Amino acid sequence: MELFQNSVFFGIFLSFLAYGIGLLFKKKLKLALFNPILIAVVIIILILVSLNIDYDTYQNGASFISCMITPSTVCLAVPLYEKLDILKKNYKALIVGISSGVLTSLLNILLFAFIFSFDHATYATFLPKSITTAIGMGVSEELGGYVAVTASVIIITGIIGNMLAEVICRVFKITEPVAKGVAIGTSSHAMGTAKAMEIGEIEGAVSSLSLVLAGVITVAGASVFANFW
Amino acid sequence: MKYLKQFCIIISISFTGEVLNKLIPLPIPASIYGIIILFTLLCTKVLKVSDVKEVSKFLIEVMPIMFVPPAVGLLKSWGIIQNNLWQYAVVTVVSTVVVMIISGLITQAFIRISKKERKK
C-alpha cells in the first residue's frame, strides 16, 4: 500500500486503534485470554498481512511508541523508591524469591533442552527468556543463541505473564502483595510489571525490583548454565 | 513548565543510561542503568519524587501499549519459529508459568515464616 508508505501516523494510529479494541474486548469479556496487548498484536498482524502492508511501513511510525519503553522503565524507580520501606522489610524474602525464580527458569530450560534434544544454540536462545528484552538479547548473543528468536520468545513470555498473572496468583493462592510482585517481575519482566502496576502499588514496586535483579542475576546464571548443555 | 521539566529529567537519565550502556562492556541495557540512576538520585535526595511524579505516573500507566510494536515484530522472525512452533510454544508457556508459581510461592512461604518468627 503506497498510500501509507511515508506516513508517520499510520503506525501510531494503528497501534492505538488496535490497543483500544483490545481494551474494549477485555472490558466486555472478562477473560485472561482477551489480553489487550495480545489482541492488538493479532489485529495489527491481520491488517498488515491482509492489506499487504510492509512491516517497515508500520514500524516507521510505531517505533515512536516503542522508543518510550526505556524512559518508562526508568520511571519504575519512583514506585520502587516510594515503597522502599516494604522492600527493606522483606529484603530476605525478595532475594530468596527472585534467585529461586531465576534458578527455576534456567533449570527449566535445561530440562527442556534434554527433553526436546535442543542443540546448544537453541538452548542458549531460551536461557535468558524471562528477563527484559535488552538484557536477554545481549546474553543470547554472548552465548551463541539466535538473537531474533530470543527477542520473540521474551515478548511472548511477557504477553503470557501479563495475561496469566492474575489467574495464576488466584489459583495458587499467592495472596501476599510482595510475593505477587516477585512472581510477576521474575517470570515476565517489564510486560508483566505493567500488569503488576495495575494490580497494586506494592505489587508494582516489587515487580520492578524483581525485573532488575532477575535480569542481573540471569546474566551471571546463564553464562554458568551455558556450559551444561 | 512542570511537565516539561519532569520529562526533561527522565529523558536525560535515559540518555545517560544509554551512554553507560555503550561505555561499559556488560549486557546491561540503558533502562536498567536508568532505574538505578533515578533510584539513587531519589535516595540521596538530589531529586524529590515531586520532580518526576506526574510524568512518571503517566508513562507507567501507558506503558503496556509501548510493547505492541515490538510484539508485532514477531512477524519478522516467524520464519524461524514456524518450523519448531509447538516445541517453542511449550517451552515458553510452561517455563513462564512454572517460574511465576515457584518464585511466588517461595517468597510467600518466606514472608509467612518470618512473620511467625516476629510474633514469637
Side-chain angles (χ1 to χ4, degrees):
Chain A
M1 282 273 227
E2 236 166 80
L3 188 62
F4 301 140
Q5 209 112 83
N6 293 311
S7 169
V8 171
F9 294 112
F10 167 69
I12 303 178
F13 166 70
L14 185 58
S15 304
F16 275 90
L17 180 74
Y19 191 78
I21 297 174
L23 282 179
L24 273 182
F25 262 95
K26 188 188 145 197
K27 220 173 166 183
K28 294 264 179 262
L29 310 154
K30 292 192 183 341
L31 263 174
L33 186 65
F34 294 100
N35 176 275
I37 300 177
L38 182 64
I39 293 174
V41 172
V42 172
I43 292 174
I44 294 170
I45 291 183
L46 284 178
I47 289 180
L48 293 183
V49 171
S50 61
L51 296 180
N52 204 8
I53 299 169
D54 197 38
Y55 169 77
D56 293 324
T57 305
Y58 167 73
Q59 278 309 350
N60 191 16
S63 62
F64 286 98
I65 304 178
S66 46
C67 82
M68 291 309 292
I69 291 177
T70 296
S72 308
T73 313
V74 171
C75 292
L76 293 173
V78 176
L80 206 58
Y81 174 72
E82 287 181 317
K83 293 282 171 287
L84 193 57
D85 50 332
I86 293 171
L87 303 183
K88 273 186 185 160
K89 209 175 90 191
N90 294 293
Y91 80 99
K92 277 187 202 153
L94 288 168
I95 292 172
V96 173
I98 297 167
S99 319
S100 69
V102 171
L103 189 65
T104 307
S105 176
L106 297 171
L107 281 173
N108 221 297
I109 302 303
L110 183 62
L111 182 69
F112 276 119
F114 176 74
I115 296 174
F116 292 135
S117 44
F118 282 166
D119 53 15
H120 177 79
T122 311
Y123 173 61
T125 300
F126 279 98
L127 271 183
K129 69 164 275 297
S130 281
I131 59 176
T132 195
T133 322
I135 308 186
M137 287 167 76
V139 170
S140 171
E141 193 173 11
E142 182 105 5
L143 304 178
Y146 306 111
V147 180
V149 179
T150 300
S152 310
V153 170
I154 289 175
I155 288 189
I156 297 171
T157 298
I159 296 179
I160 297 168
N162 191 295
M163 222 164 89
L164 298 181
E166 284 162 303
V167 179
I168 288 180
C169 288
R170 202 180 322 128
V171 172
F172 289 88
K173 302 195 169 58
I174 303 172
T175 50
E176 294 279 348
V178 173
K180 275 191 202 171
V182 170
I184 300 171
T186 310
S187 64
S188 50
H189 53 93
M191 290 174 84
T193 302
K195 172 58 95 187
M197 281 289 173
E198 289 169 20
I199 300 178
E201 283 184 3
I202 301 177
E203 286 87 341
V206 174
S207 184
S208 309
L209 177 76
S210 308
L211 100 87
V212 174
L213 287 187
V216 175
I217 299 173
T218 302
V219 172
S223 58
V224 175
F225 265 74
N227 302 316
F228 297 167
W229 190 260
Chain B
M1 270 308 273
K2 183 172 80 178
Y3 295 101
L4 198 64
K5 194 186 126 201
Q6 296 194 356
F7 202 71
C8 211
I9 293 175
I10 291 163
I11 294 295
S12 348
I13 293 173
S14 309
F15 175 62
T16 313
E18 218 173 15
V19 172
L20 289 179
N21 167 262
K22 291 275 184 302
L23 291 180
I24 304 172
L26 283 174
I28 308 282
S31 54
I32 302 288
Y33 285 124
I35 292 193
I36 297 171
I37 295 171
L38 181 54
F39 185 73
T40 314
L41 292 176
L42 289 170
C43 286
T44 52
K45 316 273 183 218
V46 176
L47 284 178
K48 292 190 294 290
V49 170
S50 61
D51 290 331
V52 286
K53 181 85 189 169
E54 284 78 14
V55 170
S56 67
K57 188 165 179 272
F58 170 74
L59 284 178
I60 290 172
E61 229 173 84
V62 297
M63 205 169 161
I65 196 177
M66 297 170 196
F67 292 107
V68 171
V72 173
L74 290 180
L75 206 55
K76 273 204 148 169
S77 42
W78 182 247
I80 324 170
I81 299 174
Q82 207 179 13
N83 302 323
N84 305 298
L85 186 62
W86 74 270
Q87 272 189 6
Y88 285 15
V90 169
V91 178
T92 311
V93 175
V94 172
S95 69
T96 308
V97 171
V98 169
V99 171
M100 198 181 272
I101 296 168
I102 303 253
S103 60
L105 286 180
I106 289 186
T107 313
Q108 181 156 286
F110 210 89
I111 293 172
R112 293 200 171 148
I113 292 169
S114 34
K115 266 186 189 165
K116 266 184 199 160
E117 276 176 1
R118 241 174 266 159
K119 272 180 194 162
K120 281 175 195 166

